[in-house]
Amino acid sequence: MTTKENFTMVATSKSGTESKITIRPFFNAKAENMGLENYGLSLFDGVKHQEQLACIEVNGISRYLTGLNEFAPEVKKLNPEQKSARIKQIRTIVADLEAELASNILDPEDKDFWNKVKLLKPDNQDFWNKIELTVGNAPTFINTSDPYDRIKLHAIEAGGFSLIAKSYEDAKARPKPPKFYLDKEEETVSSRTEYKKMRNKALSELQKLFDKNSTKLFYVAKVVDASSTQYKKSTSLDVMYENMDSYIHGDGVEGNIERAVTSFLDAVGCNMETLKIRSIVKDSSFFKYIVTKSDGHIYHNKKNVLMGRNVSDVVEFLKNPLNEDILDDLIKTCEKYWNT
């Protein structure tokens, strides 16, 4: 006979203001958010969001996204070694929580482990339906001494709350920015400083090009800027510098700052031959000196010669000494425009 346990969820007192794990609003200056982005805000003052733990129903069976379910698809698809380790980890966490919340002492190695679990069974709707979060502009501190906060932490990391990304990196990577993210101080600081180091390196490289290698700056600008044809040999260094500075800060055609920085550094890292050919390919495509035909391949328009399937193929094609005549033709036509 199955007995149903009665329980009362009691919020324990929190001295967790010293916690280094918090839920914070995620601010994205590039994402339109009812004008709040103009003031460095994610939410209107005083607004709070409340969300219940997510539940997926398939064929009448409910599955909560708790991060503590060894039968979840994300656990099943692991390789045998990883799966065994993950199951052991889940059972150890559940055993600790059961001991704290229900005075239920469990052995994670017990073959009947889940039959003896009282509260944290994957299908215990009475329990999981009461797991919810309320978040607002002020940081919400996660007190890891509180078992309910630990449950919420595991759920956030498993994607159990749609409003909250599991990390700062996850928040930045999402196509639609979330309202909040889980801030594990060291991880977030590391992520932010890594980006700043890359950005500062890109700015340093830009300054070097401006001071010592204006020709390479010209080609880099053509490669990374979508409007490559705006740059001619007569374009002032100050204009190229300003445009590349804006590009590095995410104010150009690439709004994602990290991708912009990476793209710029990748271009700077190319040798002059590759940069020049990439610039020629880009402008040649704009002026239809090379065209993509119905078969999906790129051709030299004048000679109708197959050059490749994509830009990388075309660059390698033009580097081949056997195709020097086509390269010379494209250089001649592009440089005629560049020198006007």
Side-chain angles (χ1 to χ4, degrees):
M1 179 181 295
T2 302
T3 59
K4 190 171 183 178
E5 297 286 339
N6 292 321
F7 66 91
T8 303
M9 183 178 289
V10 179
T12 60
S13 62
K14 294 185 181 181
S15 57
T17 54
E18 299 299 320
S19 173
K20 291 189 177 182
I21 303 177
T22 55
I23 300 168
R24 297 181 182 276
F26 177 68
F27 172 67
N28 184 349
K30 301 295 181 182
E32 186 176 342
N33 186 20
M34 298 179 289
L36 290 172
E37 68 279 4
N38 298 323
Y39 304 95
L41 298 173
S42 297
L43 300 169
F44 287 105
D45 191 36
V47 170
K48 289 185 181 295
H49 286 270
Q50 187 175 58
E51 185 178 10
Q52 190 176 27
L53 179 66
C55 176
I56 298 173
E57 186 173 328
V58 180
N59 297 327
I61 299 174
S62 298
R63 179 172 66 86
Y64 293 86
L65 303 184
T66 66
L68 298 173
N69 180 2
E70 70 177 64
F71 310 106
E74 61 270 20
V75 176
K76 289 181 178 180
K77 71 181 181 181
L78 297 173
N79 65 49
E81 185 177 348
Q82 292 176 323
K83 182 178 178 182
S84 177
R86 180 59 180 147
I87 288 174
K88 183 177 180 180
Q89 181 186 43
I90 289 172
R91 289 190 177 194
T92 301
I93 294 168
V94 170
D96 287 342
L97 290 168
E98 283 279 318
E100 287 187 69
L101 295 173
S103 300
N104 183 22
I105 308 304
L106 298 169
D107 177 7
E109 303 293 333
D110 190 337
K111 64 182 179 66
D112 294 320
F113 178 82
W114 288 105
N115 290 330
K116 297 177 181 179
V117 171
K118 293 182 179 179
L119 293 184
L120 280 82
K121 285 184 177 180
D123 60 352
N124 187 354
Q125 295 185 9
D126 289 338
F127 180 79
W128 295 116
N129 282 340
K130 294 184 180 181
I131 301 297
E132 59 183 29
L133 271 169
T134 301
V135 284
N137 277 318
T140 300
F141 294 92
I142 298 292
N143 179 10
T144 53
S145 298
D146 182 339
Y148 290 107
D149 273 13
R150 295 206 303 277
I151 289 170
K152 293 171 186 176
L153 176 61
H154 291 300
I156 292 170
E157 292 176 332
F161 295 96
S162 62
L163 288 171
I164 308 168
K166 59 185 178 182
S167 67
Y168 185 70
E169 280 294 322
D170 179 39
K172 290 191 297 179
R174 291 191 184 186
K176 181 179 179 181
K179 291 290 186 183
F180 306 91
Y181 70 96
L182 185 66
D183 179 11
K184 294 182 179 179
E185 186 175 302
E186 291 185 5
E187 291 181 8
T188 303
V189 169
S190 175
S191 172
R192 287 173 174 164
T193 55
E194 186 62 30
Y195 151 69
K196 288 178 181 177
K197 290 173 188 174
M198 289 179 62
R199 181 198 62 192
N200 292 342
K201 181 180 179 181
L203 292 171
S204 174
E205 292 294 334
L206 174 60
Q207 189 63 47
K208 289 178 187 176
L209 293 178
F210 180 83
D211 292 337
K212 299 178 180 179
N213 199 339
S214 58
T215 302
K216 189 169 186 177
L217 176 57
F218 171 76
Y219 291 134
V220 168
K222 277 193 164 292
V223 166
V224 302
D225 198 324
S227 180
S228 64
T229 54
Q230 70 177 296
Y231 301 108
K232 300 180 179 181
K233 295 292 179 70
S234 59
T235 304
S236 76
L237 282 175
D238 287 328
V239 169
M240 288 189 283
Y241 183 94
E242 183 176 24
N243 288 355
M244 291 301 96
D245 180 78
S246 296
Y247 182 86
I248 290 168
H249 285 91
D251 295 326
V253 65
E254 178 54 81
N256 182 296
I257 301 176
E258 287 190 38
R259 284 201 295 267
V261 169
T262 301
S263 173
F264 180 84
L265 289 175
D266 285 346
V268 171
C270 292
N271 59 45
M272 286 291 283
E273 179 196 18
T274 301
L275 274 175
K276 184 172 183 177
I277 291 176
R278 287 176 64 183
S279 300
I280 288 167
V281 170
K282 201 166 184 182
D283 280 5
S284 294
S285 178
F286 179 84
F287 290 115
K288 306 299 182 186
Y289 302 146
I290 61 176
V291 293
T292 302
K293 296 195 174 181
S294 57
D295 62 358
H297 291 82
I298 300 172
Y299 290 79
H300 182 247
N301 203 8
K302 188 187 297 184
K303 296 187 176 183
N304 198 33
V305 174
L306 173 64
M307 303 176 74
R309 185 179 291 275
N310 52 48
V311 171
S312 296
D313 288 349
V314 175
V315 170
E316 292 305 314
F317 174 91
L318 293 174
K319 283 184 178 181
N320 190 330
L322 296 175
N323 304 313
E324 188 175 0
D325 58 329
I326 293 178
L327 176 61
D328 289 342
D329 177 70
L330 293 176
I331 289 175
K332 183 179 178 181
T333 51
C334 285
E335 287 197 334
K336 184 178 179 181
Y337 169 75
W338 295 349
N339 290 322
T340 57

